[in-house]
Structures are given as structure tokens and as C-alpha cells.
């Protein structure tokens, strides 16, 4: 498990007092899933990388038996793991992506402890009772996660140079940007999963000084999309 310090924590929302948790998924090309989960209130960080295989030092060009995955760090006081699981299964078709280009794009769910595994079984049972087909998803214990190259992190946000230029005043390094809750939301906006109005409404609810809050709001209002 790869945790990184966030030196810009003064510009990020505080959690609800609960310990943050990790979730990790493979559901096709990892660009869209990162934007999908990144737009959800309660998700604090998103990162994309390679997991689920045995090949040493995987890269995008030499992934071996790994799968493209998104790692989500979330606040369980704001969003339940059960809700994240339903977003996962409602947002891709495991049958269509399984075995496409080997394991690269397979439907993969990695759990970090038995509590998560129990929740997964509970959600699957509920979905079965609702008449939904059992997904062809490989469910396995969490495995080592290797960060993907920088160009794959917050991919859709990086397609807007003005957004990156303005955000660089708050998040000057790639690590800062990758760990930013705001960047996760704006990546979701760039992909079309959320709206600027929803992001601003959420920022007004973030628990930090009004001056910092207004700094973020003024900055993102100036971005040219």
C-alpha cells in the first residue's frame, strides 16, 4: 500500500474524523474510472496504476499480467464502501472487457480486509435479489499497486492546459496534484461526470478557513475550459 504525504493539506477538505479507507478497481482503461470516482463527494484522492499481477516493475508499455486499476481513498463518514461498489458495477460491463488484451482491461476488484470482503458479498447478494446478473468480476485480496506514469494521472484534467497552469499555483508538483481532492473533482468535471456548480457547492461545505475556501473558488472560476 503506497501512501504519500500531501504538503498542500491546508487547501484540502478535512475528513469527518473517520480513518480514510482504500478501494481499488479495474474496469477497463483507467482514465475514465479515475474521473468517475474522483467526482464523488467523500472521495479524497484518486490514483491510477497497475495491480493484480506478478510482473515486476510494470509500466504502461510492459504491463505483463497486471490490470489497469484506479486506487480510491475515501472518507467512510461521507461515502460508504457499499455505495462505491454500486458505482463500480453500475458503470461498466465486466463481460465486455474481460480477457480483452489479456488482463489489462479485465474487471477486477481488490479488497483490503475481510470487512470489505463481507461488504462485497452483501452488495452482490442485494444486486442478485434485485434481478441483476452476477458480474464476471475477479474479486481478490489487495495486491501491490504500482503508480502509472504521470501522464496517466488526472488524464482528462491535463487536457486543459489553463486548468493545470492555474492549479500549479496551489499544487506545484505532480505529487501535490495527484493527491489533491480538488484535482480529483475537476478531473471528473473535465470528463463530464459533474458540474462546476456541484463542485462549488461542495467546496462551500469543506471544513477549513474561509480565506482558503475563497482562494479555491476564485481560482477555479477563472479556469478556461
Amino acid at each position: 500500500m503506497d501512501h504519500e504525504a500531501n504538503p498542500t493539506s491546508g487547501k484540502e477538505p478535512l475528513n469527518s474524523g473517520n480513518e480514510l479507507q482504500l478501494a481499488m478497481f479495474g474496469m477497463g482503461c483507467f482514465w475514465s474510472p479515475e474521473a468517475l470516482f474522483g467526482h464523488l463527494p467523500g472521495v479524497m484522492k484518486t490514483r491510477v496504476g497497475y495491480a493484480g499481477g506478478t510482473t515486476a516493475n510494470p509500466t504502461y508499455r510492459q504491463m505483463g499480467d497486471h490490470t489497469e486499476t484506479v486506487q480510491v481513498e475515501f472518507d467512510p463518514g461521507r461515502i460508504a464502501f457499499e455505495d462505491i461498489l454500486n458505482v463500480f458495477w453500475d458503470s461498466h460491463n465486466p463481460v465486455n472487457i474481460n480477457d480483452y488484451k489479456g488482463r489489462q482491461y479485465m474487471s477486477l476488484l481488490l479488497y483490503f480486509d475481510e470487512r470489505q470482503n463481507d461488504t462485497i458479498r452483501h452488495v452482490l447478494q442485494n444486486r442478485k435479489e434485485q434481478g441483476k446478473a452476477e458480474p464476471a468480476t475477479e474479486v481478490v485480496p489487495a495486491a501491490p499497486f504500482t503508480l502509472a506514469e504521470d501522464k496517466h494521472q488526472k488524464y482528462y484534467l491535463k487536457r486543459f492546459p489553463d486548468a493545470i497552469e492555474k492549479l500549479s499555483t496551489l499544487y506545484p508538483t505532480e505529487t501535490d496534484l495527484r493527491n489533491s481532492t480538488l484535482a480529483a473533482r475537476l478531473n471528473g468535471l473535465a470528463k463530464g461526470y459533474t458540474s462546476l456548480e456541484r463542485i462549488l457547492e461542495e467546496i462551500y461545505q469543506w471544513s477549513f478557513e474561509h480565506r482558503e475556501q475563497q482562494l479555491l473558488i476564485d481560482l477555479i472560476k477563472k479556469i478556461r475550459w
Side-chain angles (χ1 to χ4, degrees):
M1 191 180 306
D2 181 10
H3 287 290
E4 301 175 55
N6 186 356
T8 58
S9 58
K11 302 176 182 66
E12 297 299 303
L14 300 176
N15 64 40
S16 64
N18 294 283
E19 183 178 354
L20 298 182
Q21 297 180 16
L22 289 175
M24 194 150 64
F25 309 99
M27 48 192 298
C29 176
F30 47 27
W31 295 338
S32 290
E34 185 184 24
L36 172 68
F37 291 109
H39 95 278
L40 298 173
V43 169
M44 308 300 282
K45 298 179 186 179
T46 62
R47 303 184 297 171
V48 297
Y50 316 113
T54 60
T55 303
N57 303 315
T59 66
Y60 189 76
R61 296 301 179 189
Q62 293 183 318
M63 204 174 302
D65 57 350
H66 288 281
T67 299
E68 291 191 23
T69 57
V70 57
Q71 189 180 82
V72 177
E73 190 165 354
F74 66 98
D75 181 346
R78 290 178 173 156
I79 186 169
F81 183 53
E82 181 173 346
D83 294 332
I84 292 175
L85 290 172
N86 279 311
V87 170
F88 167 69
W89 273 309
D90 288 342
S91 302
H92 78 296
N93 186 337
V95 175
N96 282 355
I97 65 173
N98 269 357
D99 296 326
Y100 180 73
K101 296 185 72 173
R103 291 180 59 87
Q104 180 177 355
Y105 292 152
M106 71 179 295
S107 180
L108 179 66
L109 172 53
L110 301 106
Y111 60 88
F112 284 88
D113 53 38
E114 281 307 310
R115 181 172 58 180
Q116 283 195 348
N117 195 20
D118 289 342
T119 302
I120 291 166
R121 289 195 292 262
H122 174 72
V123 169
L124 285 173
Q125 180 60 35
N126 284 345
R127 294 176 69 86
K128 183 178 180 180
E129 292 173 357
Q130 294 167 10
K132 298 178 181 178
E134 184 171 349
T137 300
E138 182 175 303
V139 181
V140 295
F145 174 81
T146 301
L147 277 173
E149 296 80 350
D150 290 347
K151 66 181 180 180
H152 297 297
Q153 310 291 337
K154 308 294 184 291
Y155 176 81
Y156 292 103
L157 178 60
K158 288 178 177 175
R159 296 174 70 176
F160 294 90
D162 188 63
I164 295 302
E165 180 181 354
K166 288 185 168 60
L167 288 171
S168 68
T169 64
L170 298 177
Y171 312 106
T173 71
E174 183 66 32
T175 298
D176 296 339
L177 185 72
R178 184 169 60 242
N179 286 335
S180 166
T181 303
L182 179 60
R185 298 292 185 276
L186 294 177
N187 192 42
L189 173 65
K191 177 58 176 172
Y193 286 125
T194 189
S195 66
L196 180 60
E197 290 73 22
R198 287 174 60 189
I199 293 174
L200 293 175
E201 182 179 350
E202 183 185 356
I203 291 175
Y204 282 122
Q205 299 172 9
W206 286 357
S207 300
F208 49 36
E209 293 183 3
H210 176 73
R211 183 178 63 85
E212 296 286 356
Q213 187 181 70
Q214 198 59 47
L215 176 68
L216 298 186
I217 291 170
D218 290 344
L219 183 144
I220 63 178
K221 281 184 175 181
K222 294 176 183 177
I223 294 174
R224 297 192 301 273
W225 298 97

